[in-house]
Amino acid sequence: MSKQEQKKINIINKTIELCSKYGFHGTSMDNITSATGVSKATIYKYFNSKENLIAEALAIFSQQAIEKLELLYSDNTLTLEQKLSNRFDGLLDLFNRHAFHGCYFQLAYSEFNQIDPNIGQICSGYKQKRLTMLDELLQNEGIKDPTYKAKQAELLFNGLLATLQITEDQSLIPIAKDMYLTAILKS
């Protein structure tokens, strides 16, 4: 990876980190330049605007998250329950590292959907892709009514993310995990 590519990735990573803590509108370009040590002129050389930077950061983060989920779902050494439980284990890990500040995509969508349709599309596309992947996993596992159960489970998971952002009550994670697994594996 070239020095320019490394600099660009650093800008993207720091932007997501700052935006997850302070919100997308609450993170200024000055905050990003301070965190990265990169001048505004250089940032604008790579990205035409703050919105462009955020859109690219979300697109890259989305791609990475989807690839990680694909690896998990294709792991034949894990049971279906283990694959489904992994998301909740990941949330607990984030809480233990004090690294959970909400779902980047829910945050960005709420702040930008009316302002920047591209960001809104990236966010909704990410959520739709996760739903589709869960539906396909459930179909492949022979789960009855996979589409309905995938929608129900994702509704629970997204509700958990929104609630955790407000309450920071990690005791909700095992409760939601139980509800999620019950929605998919029971009946």
Side-chain angles (χ1 to χ4, degrees), residues 10 17 19 33 63 75 91 94 96 115 129 142-143 147 175:
N10 180 47
E17 182 182 317
C19 291
T33 59
Q63 179 184 353
D75 187 343
L91 275 177
L94 287 173
N96 291 334
I115 301 167
K129 179 65 176 170
I143 299 295
T147 301
I175 296 168

Side-chain angles (χ1 to χ4, degrees), residues 54 121 123 133 153-154 182:
I54 289 168
Q121 289 173 348
C123 296
M133 291 174 70
E154 284 300 294
T182 299

Side-chain angles (χ1 to χ4, degrees), residues 139-158:
Q139 286 179 37
N140 293 339
E141 293 285 336
I143 299 295
K144 185 179 176 191
D145 299 322
T147 301
Y148 175 79
K149 289 183 177 184
K151 287 179 181 179
Q152 186 180 32
E154 284 300 294
L155 181 62
L156 288 166
F157 191 78
N158 288 320

Side-chain angles (χ1 to χ4, degrees), residues 31-170:
N31 298 131
I32 295 168
T33 59
S34 290
T36 61
V38 177
S39 71
K40 279 187 194 178
T42 301
I43 292 174
Y44 284 120
K45 178 179 136 188
Y46 295 124
F47 311 97
N48 298 344
S49 65
K50 179 180 169 185
E51 290 79 12
N52 229 6
L53 168 57
I54 289 168
E56 190 161 338
L58 288 167
I60 289 170
F61 188 73
S62 170
Q63 179 184 353
Q64 292 170 345
I66 294 300
E67 287 170 0
K68 185 177 176 183
L69 193 59
E70 286 172 342
L71 283 173
L72 174 67
Y73 285 177
S74 65
D75 187 343
N76 294 327
T77 66
L78 300 175
T79 66
L80 176 60
E81 186 171 339
Q82 290 170 321
K83 291 174 186 181
L84 298 173
S85 295
N86 180 273
R87 295 172 84 180
F88 298 91
D89 300 339
L91 275 177
L92 280 172
D93 179 55
L94 287 173
F95 263 93
N96 291 334
R97 291 185 290 123
H98 305 287
F100 180 81
H101 305 288
C103 174
Y104 302 143
F105 299 96
Q106 287 174 327
L107 293 168
Y109 189 88
S110 68
E111 291 188 39
F112 282 101
N113 187 48
Q114 300 301 318
I115 301 167
D116 190 317
N118 183 41
I119 292 175
Q121 289 173 348
I122 291 167
C123 296
S124 60
Y126 169 75
K127 293 288 187 172
Q128 184 57 50
K129 179 65 176 170
R130 288 189 78 120
L131 175 63
T132 300
M133 291 174 70
L134 179 59
D135 185 9
E136 290 170 357
L137 174 66
L138 299 182
Q139 286 179 37
N140 293 339
E141 293 285 336
I143 299 295
K144 185 179 176 191
D145 299 322
T147 301
Y148 175 79
K149 289 183 177 184
K151 287 179 181 179
Q152 186 180 32
E154 284 300 294
L155 181 62
L156 288 166
F157 191 78
N158 288 320
L160 173 64
L161 292 176
T163 303
L164 289 174
Q165 182 181 343
I166 295 167
T167 66
E168 297 183 6
D169 181 0
Q170 79 180 55

